[in-house]
C-alpha cells in the first residue's frame, strides 16, 4: 500500500510539472471561435518582470467580423480596462503583486459575439526592495571649508545606482549626479558662516532610495564686502514711454544676487528675485512728464548697488483736426447724383475744432500720417452713417459700422495701440455700404445713408519719440506755376533740383516731424 500511494503522488507531481512546462512554452490560442485568435506577445513565457511593464497581444481574425477589444487578465482577474484599438496592450505595475509566479492571459472578442482566450503566459515577479548604500566622503565630519570646495559621496547597489543627490540641511544642493564618482563643486559663500549638515540621497534603478549619515561641517568665509553691479537696461535714459512698459535690469555679484528692487520717484514699483530681472510699469497711473526710474540690487551679505534713469511719460494725446495737412484726402466712386470727393469744412454739428470732413463714396480715403505709439479716429455715429474700412500702415485691420439710432459726435470709433515708436499711417476708407444693405428700408435696423465722417485724430504720446532725420528729395513736393523741375545742371542732392525765379511761385512739402 505504501508503494502504491507513493506511486500515485509521484504521478500527480509529474503531471503538474508537465502542465507548468506547457505554460512556459509558446503555443497558439487554446480557445478559438469563428476564426478569432489571440496571442500574448510580451512578456515572454518564463521571464522575470519588475516595476511597471507593458503587456501586449496580437489578434488574428477571419471572415467579415471585426475585433472589438482585448481584455488582459492576471491570475484570472481583469488587468486594467479592455483595449479597444490595436496594437493591443495594457500597463502592469508589478509592485503591488506578491513576488513569485503569475499567469497572464488575454481574451479577445469580435463583432459577431465570438471570444477567444490566449494560451497562458507564466512570468515571475521579482521586485528588488534593498536600497543602495551611500556615504559622504568629503568633507569629513568636523571639517572647516571656505570658498569653492568639492563635496563627494560613495554609493553602491547590486542592481546599479541611478544617481546621487547632495542636500544641505535637507534642501537639494545642485543637480543630481548620475555618474560615478559622485561629486559636485560648491561655492560655500552661498551659505552663511557656521555649522551645517550635509547628506546624500542615492537611488537605484528599481526606485529604492537611501540617505547617508549626516556629516556636520563648518563654513568659514571672510566677510563678503563686494556689492553687486546693476544697470537698468530698459527703458533707456531719456526715453519717452507710454502705456504699460517693461522695466528691466542686468545685475551680477561675486556670490549671488538675491533680489533686484524697482521704484519710480522713490515709490516702490516691485521686485524680482530671479534673472532676467524685470517688472511691469503701467505709466497711465503716472503724471505726464519726467520721472526717475531706480533699481537696487542686493546680495545675501546685505551689500547693495543702485542705478537710475530719467524717462518721460507721455500718455496725453495730441488732437489733429480734420483740416490739418497731415491728412490726405482722395476721392472714391460716388453713387449717381453725388460727388466722389470729400465735403471738407462742414459745420453742421458740434464738431471737434468746429469742422469735419465726410463723404458717401466707395473707395474715398482719408490717410493720416503721424508719429506715435497709439492713434484714435474721432468720428461720427448716426442713423445716416455708413460702413468704413480701417488700415494701419497700409494693412487692413477691420471694418467699422457707424450706424446708430442716435447721433454721437466727437466719439472715438476706432483705436490702435501698442505701435512701434515712430512714423505710421491710419487710413479711413469709405465702402459705399450701409448697415442693413441697399435693399433695407431706413428704420431701427437699417441705415438711411452711407456717410463716413473724419472729425479728428488723437495721437499719443503727446511728445512723440525722436526719429532719425531723413532727406526727402524735391521730386516729392508739389509745385505751382513758374517752376522748372528736373534740373541736372549742377551737383544737386539726388541728381536734380527744381528752380524758379518767378515771384509768388510756391513749392509745398508735407511732412511729419519736429524740425
Amino acid at each position: 500500500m505504501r508503494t502504491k500511494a507513493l506511486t500515485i503522488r509521484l504521478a500527480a507531481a509529474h503531471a503538474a510539472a508537465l502542465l507548468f512546462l506547457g505554460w512556459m512554452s509558446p503555443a497558439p490560442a487554446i480557445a478559438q471561435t469563428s476564426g478569432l485568435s489571440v496571442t500574448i506577445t510580451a512578456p515572454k513565457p518564463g521571464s522575470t518582470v519588475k516595476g511597471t511593464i507593458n503587456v501586449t497581444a496580437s489578434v488574428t481574425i477571419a471572415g467579415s467580423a471585426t475585433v472589438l477589444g482585448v481584455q488582459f487578465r492576471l491570475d484570472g482577474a481583469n488587468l486594467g480596462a479592455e483595449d479597444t484599438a490595436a496594437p493591443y496592450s495594457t500597463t502592469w505595475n508589478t509592485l503591488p503583486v506578491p513576488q513569485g509566479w503569475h499567469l497572464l492571459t488575454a481574451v479577445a472578442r469580435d463583432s459577431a459575439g465570438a471570444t477567444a482566450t490566449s494560451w497562458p503566459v507564466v512570468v515571475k515577479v521579482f521586485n528588488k526592495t534593498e536600497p543602495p548604500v551611500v556615504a559622504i566622503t568629503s568633507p569629513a565630519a568636523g571639517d572647516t571649508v571656505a570658498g569653492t570646495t568639492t563635496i563627494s559621496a560613495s554609493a553602491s547597489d547590486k542592481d546599479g545606482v541611478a544617481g546621487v543627490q547632495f542636500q544641505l540641511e535637507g534642501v537639494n544642493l545642485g543637480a543630481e549626479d548620475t555618474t560615478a564618482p559622485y561629486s559636485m563643486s560648491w561655492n560655500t559663500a552661498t551659505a552663511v558662516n557656521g555649522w551645517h549638515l550635509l547628506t546624500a540621497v542615492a537611488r537605484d534603478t528599481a526606485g529604492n532610495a537611501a540617505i547617508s549619515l549626516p556629516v556636520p561641517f563648518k563654513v568659514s568665509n571672510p566677510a563678503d564686502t563686494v556689492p553687486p553691479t546693476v544697470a537698468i537696461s530698459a527703458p533707456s535714459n531719456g526715453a519717452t514711454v507710454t502705456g504699460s512698459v517693461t522695466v528691466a535690469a542686468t545685475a551680477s555679484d561675486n556670490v549671488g544676487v538675491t533680489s533686484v528692487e524697482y521704484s519710480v520717484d522713490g515709490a516702490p514699483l516691485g521686485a524680482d528675485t530671479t534673472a532676467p530681472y524685470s517688472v511691469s510699469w503701467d505709466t497711465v497711473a503716472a503724471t505726464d512728464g519726467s520721472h526717475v526710474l531706480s533699481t537696487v540690487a542686493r546680495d545675501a551679505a546685505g551689500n547693495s548697488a543702485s542705478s537710475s534713469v530719467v524717462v518721460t511719460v507721455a500718455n496725453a494725446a495730441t488732437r489733429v483736426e480734420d483740416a490739418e495737412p497731415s491728412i490726405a484726402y482722395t476721392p472714391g466712386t460716388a453713387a449717381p447724383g453725388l460727388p466722389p470727393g470729400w465735403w471738407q469744412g462742414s459745420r453742421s454739428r458740434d464738431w471737434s475744432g468746429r469742422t469735419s470732413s465726410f463723404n458717401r463714396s466707395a473707395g474715398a480715403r482719408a490717410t493720416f500720417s503721424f508719429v506715435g505709439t497709439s492713434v484714435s479716429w474721432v468720428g461720427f455715429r448716426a442713423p445716416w452713417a455708413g460702413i468704413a474700412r480701417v488700415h494701419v500702415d497700409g494693412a487692413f485691420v477691420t471694418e467699422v459700422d457707424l450706424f446708430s439710432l442716435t447721433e454721437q459726435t466727437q466719439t472715438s470709433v476706432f483705436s490702435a495701440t501698442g505701435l512701434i515708436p515712430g512714423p505710421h499711417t491710419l487710413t479711413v476708407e469709405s465702402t459705399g455700404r450701409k448697415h442693413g444693405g441697399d435693399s433695407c428700408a431706413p428704420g431701427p435696423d437699417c441705415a438711411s445713408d452711407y456717410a463716413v465722417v473724419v472729425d479728428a485724430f488723437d495721437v499719443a504720446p503727446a511728445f512723440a519719440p525722436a526719429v532719425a532725420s531723413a532727406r526727402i528729395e524735391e521730386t516729392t513736393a508739389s509745385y505751382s506755376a513758374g517752376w522748372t523741375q528736373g534740373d541736372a545742371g549742377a551737383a544737386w542732392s539726388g541728381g536734380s533740383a527744381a528752380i524758379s525765379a518767378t515771384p509768388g511761385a510756391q513749392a509745398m512739402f508735407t511732412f511729419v516731424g519736429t524740425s
Side-chain angles (χ1 to χ4, degrees):
M1 290 296 292
R2 290 180 181 175
T3 302
K4 184 177 181 181
L6 177 61
T7 301
I8 293 172
R9 286 195 293 271
L10 288 174
H14 183 65
L18 288 175
L19 179 59
F20 176 75
L21 290 174
W23 284 343
M24 294 183 64
S25 302
I30 60 174
Q32 303 179 24
T33 56
S34 303
L36 179 65
S37 174
V38 58
T39 303
I40 291 182
T41 54
K44 297 299 182 183
S47 60
T48 298
V49 297
K50 62 181 179 179
T52 299
I53 66 169
N54 283 330
V55 183
T56 61
S58 64
V59 180
T60 59
I61 189 169
S64 59
T66 58
V67 178
L68 297 182
V70 173
Q71 175 65 64
F72 294 91
R73 291 178 178 173
L74 174 66
D75 300 328
N78 286 350
L79 181 63
E82 182 185 51
D83 192 353
T84 57
Y88 303 101
S89 66
T90 190
T91 300
W92 178 24
N93 179 10
T94 68
L95 294 176
V97 179
Q99 301 199 83
W101 294 98
H102 294 272
L103 278 177
L104 287 171
T105 54
V107 179
R109 63 186 183 94
D110 64 19
S111 57
T115 62
T117 302
S118 71
W119 187 267
V121 170
V122 180
V123 294
K124 187 177 183 178
V125 173
F126 180 73
N127 284 301
K128 176 183 175 295
T129 58
E130 298 85 357
V133 176
V134 59
I136 298 288
T137 55
S138 178
D143 278 358
T144 298
V145 296
T148 299
T149 188
T150 298
I151 58 177
S152 58
S154 63
S156 61
D157 186 90
K158 66 179 183 180
D159 285 341
V161 175
V164 173
Q165 175 66 64
F166 294 98
Q167 294 183 336
L168 185 69
E169 275 84 50
V171 178
N172 286 351
L173 193 61
E176 182 186 53
D177 191 353
T178 57
T179 56
Y182 305 103
S183 64
M184 67 169 291
S185 180
W186 175 43
N187 182 4
T188 64
T190 58
V192 297
N193 286 343
W195 289 97
H196 294 273
L197 281 178
L198 182 67
T199 53
V201 178
R203 61 182 182 91
D204 64 18
T205 55
N208 303 300
I211 188 168
S212 70
L213 185 69
V215 170
F217 68 99
K218 188 177 184 179
V219 172
S220 181
N221 284 305
D224 178 13
T225 59
V226 180
T229 59
V230 63
I232 294 178
S233 54
S236 59
N237 189 49
T240 298
V241 294
T242 182
S244 181
V245 298
T246 297
V247 184
T250 56
S252 60
D253 186 73
N254 63 320
V255 176
V257 175
T258 57
S259 70
V260 175
E261 302 162 4
Y262 297 87
S263 63
V264 178
D265 299 328
L269 182 60
D272 197 353
T273 57
T274 56
Y277 306 101
S278 65
V279 293
S280 180
W281 177 30
D282 184 4
T283 66
V284 175
T287 58
D288 282 359
S290 295
H291 294 272
V292 178
L293 272 177
S294 301
T295 185
V296 177
R298 303 184 189 278
D299 63 19
N303 302 305
S304 63
S306 62
S307 174
S308 63
V309 297
V310 177
V311 297
T312 299
V313 172
N315 286 308
T318 297
R319 174 154 292 189
V320 178
E321 300 296 344
D322 67 294
E324 293 291 332
S326 56
I327 306 173
Y329 296 94
T330 56
T333 302
L338 295 175
W342 289 78
W343 284 275
Q344 294 182 262
S346 168
R347 297 174 180 266
S348 61
R349 299 292 188 279
D350 180 26
W351 305 119
S352 173
R354 298 186 62 191
T355 65
S356 72
S357 299
F358 66 94
N359 76 90
R360 296 179 171 88
S361 308
R365 289 188 167 200
T367 300
F368 172 47
S369 300
F370 65 97
V371 176
T373 58
S374 68
V375 62
S376 293
W377 163 26
V378 180
F380 179 61
R381 296 183 184 276
W384 48 277
I387 297 173
R389 291 167 58 89
V390 178
H391 306 257
V392 175
D393 295 333
F396 170 74
V397 177
T398 188
E399 280 194 352
V400 180
D401 189 344
L402 301 167
F403 172 74
S404 172
L405 293 177
T406 59
E407 290 192 359
Q408 302 172 29
T409 57
Q410 297 195 41
T411 183
S412 176
V413 296
F414 172 81
S415 295
T417 60
L419 303 176
I420 298 173
H424 299 279
T425 60
L426 173 66
T427 300
V428 175
E429 177 186 3
S430 178
T431 64
R433 294 185 287 113
K434 65 178 182 176
H435 185 84
D438 289 340
S439 60
C440 186
D445 297 319
C446 300
S448 60
D449 208 335
Y450 312 91
V452 173
V453 174
V454 169
D455 192 2
F457 294 99
D458 288 335
V459 181
F463 311 103
V467 294
S469 61
R471 173 164 291 186
I472 309 299
E473 298 299 338
E474 89 287 347
T475 53
T476 64
S478 58
Y479 298 92
S480 66
W483 287 85
T484 300
Q485 294 179 255
D487 182 88
W492 304 119
S493 171
S496 65
I499 301 175
S500 175
T502 304
Q506 293 184 339
M508 185 176 70
F509 170 55
T510 301
F511 68 96
V512 176
T514 58
S515 66

